[in-house]
Amino acid sequence: MPDAEDVRRIALSLPDTTEKIAWSMPTFRVAGKMFATLPEEETSVAVRCPKVERDELVLAEPKKFWIADHEASFAWVRARLDALEDEGELRIILADSWRQAAPNRLLEAHPRLGLPTEA
């Protein structure tokens, strides 16, 4: 089961990522743009997610994904760390959020970052 230190390690391994405390919690930013936070005493991770996909995730796996009331109008979803399958799933979630926040120059430099490898 991944924990907050796994979130921190994986997030900071992504290109041009920094950690900054905001709203009394750790936040992770790519080129200054936030893509993940560690709220709720660091038992969950909040990440960027298009609203349609977010709603589908929450409906499909409500024990894993949820939407905080104050984030309902934004394209963010939360994942309970203790419900994630493994570090690989966490890495995919964080990389996907990173791609949504990263500037084009980083997306072009890392086109396959976080995408599943072909078998």
Side-chain angles (χ1 to χ4, degrees):
M1 164 181 74
D3 62 18
E5 286 309 310
D6 294 320
V7 171
R8 189 169 277 109
R9 179 177 46 77
I10 293 168
L12 291 173
S13 75
L14 298 169
D16 206 14
T17 294
T18 58
E19 181 176 352
K20 179 181 178 181
I21 300 296
W23 307 287
S24 301
M25 73 180 111
T27 66
F28 300 91
R29 298 159 190 260
V30 56
K33 195 169 181 182
M34 193 165 46
F35 71 91
T37 67
L38 274 169
E40 275 67 63
E41 299 172 352
E42 300 187 359
T43 60
S44 67
V45 60
V47 293
R48 291 175 173 267
C49 186
K51 287 183 182 180
V52 172
E53 291 177 29
R54 173 193 75 176
D55 295 344
E56 290 172 2
L57 281 173
V58 172
L59 285 172
E61 299 183 80
K63 292 182 180 183
K64 187 181 291 187
F65 298 102
W66 61 287
I67 303 166
D69 291 339
H70 68 279
E71 294 169 346
S73 62
F74 301 101
W76 285 78
V77 69
R78 301 222 180 159
R80 292 175 181 86
L81 293 174
D82 65 359
L84 296 180
E85 293 175 26
D86 55 23
E87 188 177 302
E89 183 178 25
L90 175 61
R91 183 174 299 281
I92 290 168
I93 289 168
L94 287 170
D96 184 59
S97 186
W98 179 91
R99 283 192 305 276
Q100 292 175 59
N104 286 337
R105 67 176 170 80
L106 287 174
L107 294 174
E108 290 166 4
H110 305 278
R112 305 256 331 131
L113 183 69
L115 297 176
T117 57
E118 294 181 28

